[in-house]
Amino acid sequence: MKMALNVIKMKKMKGEGVPLSMLTAYDYPSARLAEEAGVDLILVGDSLGNVVLGYDSTLPVTLDDMVYHTRSVARGAGNTFIVADMPFMTYHGGIDETLRGVRRLMQEGHAHAVKMEGGLEICDTVRAVVNAGVPVLAHIGLTPQSVHTIGGYRVQGKDPEDARRLMKEAKALEQAGAFGIVLELVTEEVAEAITRELGIPTIGIGAGRRCDGQVLVFHDVLQYASPYREKRFVKTYADIGGVIRDGLTRYVQEVKERAFPAEEHVFAADESVLDSLYGAAGEGANSK
């Protein structure tokens, strides 16, 4: 049986040049399939707001949402390292409030670690959470919870000043105790430089080929959406959305045509059962 990784093994994998595979999942069946496929880490991302809850951003996602979905994922992938996102504005107040949210994700959601977006401004929080015994995965570059502040979904690290900022943030988060850092929509050159400088793993999404691992969204990998929007940094490995749509269309058509259920889908009753409902044929005739 596959055993879950831990933060020590992940750091060792970086040293050995073994890439980490990470996938988002938001429910029991997708988590189970991800584990069966052999992914190293599952991220229960607040991207569930866009992907499965129908919001136009991650901002409306609540801590209750994250606990509920993390617990579902944990039931499906009991032998995989699970990271849960801290949702918008749950780790920018007092440390006591932050730790209450962390406790819920760990105790009620059964996560192994939490993820936080941000740079220098969250380093003290990261340090406090790590000191409380909880592994933290950091996240810099494009940070969806701050999309309005950074001016939209823009690639980061395209000029020297921005590159220096990202490097400074990454080093500070490592110093604060983060066990790894997600780099989202960062230029390949900058992501490679950060990866070389850090002793902890980097996991890229739209950050090029030189990170220590990669993460993609379950529904993007399988094109499980309608309508599906193409993304340059995503590779689709199967068009499950098309298969599902075709299957459901055939189901509706067969119901309308009374082709389903067919004989092989029904259960026959004994004659005695019918007699008990309606009486024997002769008795029915005499009663008229």
Side-chain angles (χ1 to χ4, degrees), residues 44 62-71 74 82-87 90-91 98-116 134:
V44 188
T62 66
L63 188 61
D64 284 341
D65 291 332
M66 292 306 306
V67 170
Y68 176 87
H69 285 273
T70 303
R71 187 164 56 233
I82 296 170
V83 182
D85 259 333
M86 292 287 289
T90 58
Y91 51 99
T98 298
L99 291 175
R100 280 194 292 272
V102 171
R103 177 189 60 78
R104 291 196 62 198
L105 287 172
M106 303 293 284
Q107 289 186 334
E108 299 175 41
H110 306 296
H112 298 104
V114 297
K115 181 168 76 64
M116 300 180 184
V134 177

Side-chain angles (χ1 to χ4, degrees), residues 1 8 17 39 66 72 84 110 114 137 157 210 229 231 241 253 279:
M1 180 182 287
I8 303 300
V39 299
M66 292 306 306
S72 300
H110 306 296
V114 297
L137 179 64
R210 312 302 182 205
R229 293 189 306 160
K231 303 175 184 70
Q253 181 180 351

Side-chain angles (χ1 to χ4, degrees), residues 25-26 51-52 65 85-86 92 99 101 106 111 125 142-144 153 187 190 193 204 206 211 215 220 253 257 272:
Y26 311 115
V51 178
V52 298
D65 291 332
D85 259 333
M86 292 287 289
H92 294 87
L99 291 175
M106 303 293 284
T125 303
L142 173 69
T143 48
Y153 296 91
T187 57
V190 173
C211 295
V215 58
D220 285 342
Q253 181 180 351
E257 295 172 348
S272 61

Side-chain angles (χ1 to χ4, degrees), residues 8-30:
I8 303 300
K9 289 179 182 177
M10 286 182 238
K11 192 171 182 179
K12 183 180 179 185
M13 288 172 70
K14 174 186 175 79
E16 295 172 348
V18 179
L20 290 161
S21 61
M22 189 177 195
L23 191 69
T24 66
Y26 311 115
D27 56 28
Y28 174 88
S30 58

